[in-house]
Amino acid sequence: ELKVEQNPLFLSMQEGKNYTIYCNYSTTSDRLYWYRQDPGKSLESLFVLLSNGAVKQEGRLMASLDTKARLSTLHITAAVHDLSATYFCAAGRGSNYKLTFGKGTLLTVNP
Amino acid sequence: DAGVIQSPRHEVTEMGQEVTLRCKPISGHDYLFWYRQTMMRGLELLIYFNNNVPIDDSGMPEDRFSAKMPNASFSTLKIQPSEPRDSAVYFCASSSYWGVSSTDTQYFGPGTRLTVL
C-alpha cells in the first residue's frame, strides 16, 4: 500500500524567508503531484512531476522529485502572505489513477 | 470551461436521513473521483469511475455509501442512512486519460460540506 508523509504539517514563516516542505512516499511511484488548498476552497493543481530529477517552478514555488530517495520537495522562495494555504502532495503509480494524498502542510506567512 | 460542478454546496441533515451529492465532471473527461476530507483522516479517495464504470471502490467506508455514474456527465454519491461521523467535505474530481508522459492532473470541484446532526 502506497503511503505518503509530509512534513512539517504546520509551518509559520516570515515574509521574505525561504523554506522547504518535504514529501516522502513508501513505495515506487512514477507520478507526484502538488496541490494548493485555500481555507474553505477546493484543491488547485500546482505541479506534476513524472521522472527522477524533474524540477518545475512557478513564481516563488519550486518542486522537485527524487525517485530513488522517494522524496519530493516544495521549496518556497522569499515567501509572501499570498502563499498562505495548505499544500498537499499526492503520489500515484503507473496506469492506476488512484492518488494517495499526504496530510497536508498548513503554511502561514506572517508580515 | 465551467470546471467540475458539485451540488449542493452545503447540506445539513439529521441522522438517519438519506443524503445525495451530485457531480458534473469536466466535459470530455473519462475519469471521475469521489473524495472525502476530514481533519482527522485527511483526504481519502472513496471511489473512482472510468467511462462510467466503477474501477476501485475500496475506499467506500461501508454499505451505507453508494455511488453511481449513469452517464458521462453526471454522478451521485448517496449515503443512506447518514450518521454524524459522515460529516465532512466531499469533493468530486475528474481527469482525462493519462498517457505515460502526460502531465495532466485531477481537477477538483468546489466540494459539498455535509453536516449530519
Side-chain angles (χ1 to χ4, degrees), chain B residues 11-49:
Chain B
E11 176 82 31
V12 180
T13 190
E14 293 190 346
M15 184 173 64
Q17 296 299 305
E18 178 179 296
V19 174
T20 300
L21 311 181
R22 296 171 176 81
C23 175
K24 176 179 169 58
I26 292 172
S27 178
H29 279 188
D30 303 308
Y31 292 83
L32 183 139
F33 308 82
W34 281 102
Y35 289 89
R36 176 173 68 176
Q37 186 177 39
T38 62
M39 289 294 293
M40 290 297 295
R41 301 177 67 89
L43 195 62
E44 305 172 277
L45 177 66
L46 300 178
I47 185 171
Y48 81 90
F49 296 81

Side-chain angles (χ1 to χ4, degrees), chain A residues 31 33 35 37 40-45 47-48 50 56 88 94-99 101-103, chain B residues 31 33 35 37 40-41 43 45 48 56 58 91 96-99 101-106 108-109:
Chain A
R31 310 184 72 89
Y33 298 79
Y35 287 86
Q37 185 178 35
K41 302 292 186 182
S42 187
L43 280 79
E44 173 192 357
S45 179
F47 301 108
V48 181
L50 299 181
K56 292 198 173 178
F88 291 91
S95 59
N96 188 338
Y97 283 66
K98 182 175 180 176
L99 296 183
F101 281 77
K103 294 285 189 188
Chain B
Y31 292 83
F33 308 82
Y35 289 89
Q37 186 177 39
M40 290 297 295
R41 301 177 67 89
L43 195 62
L45 177 66
Y48 81 90
D56 187 337
S58 59
F91 288 104
S96 58
Y97 167 72
W98 295 341
S101 59
S102 170
T103 57
D104 206 352
T105 186
Q106 292 182 15
F108 282 73

Side-chain angles (χ1 to χ4, degrees), chain B residues 70-116:
Chain B
N71 58 62
S73 59
F74 183 66
S75 177
T76 60
L77 178 67
K78 187 177 293 186
I79 308 172
Q80 166 63 18
S82 59
E83 296 183 3
R85 60 192 167 119
D86 301 331
S87 297
V89 179
Y90 290 81
F91 288 104
C92 176
S94 71
S95 76
S96 58
Y97 167 72
W98 295 341
V100 172
S101 59
S102 170
T103 57
D104 206 352
T105 186
Q106 292 182 15
Y107 297 87
F108 282 73
T112 295
R113 183 172 296 275
L114 173 65
T115 302
V116 183

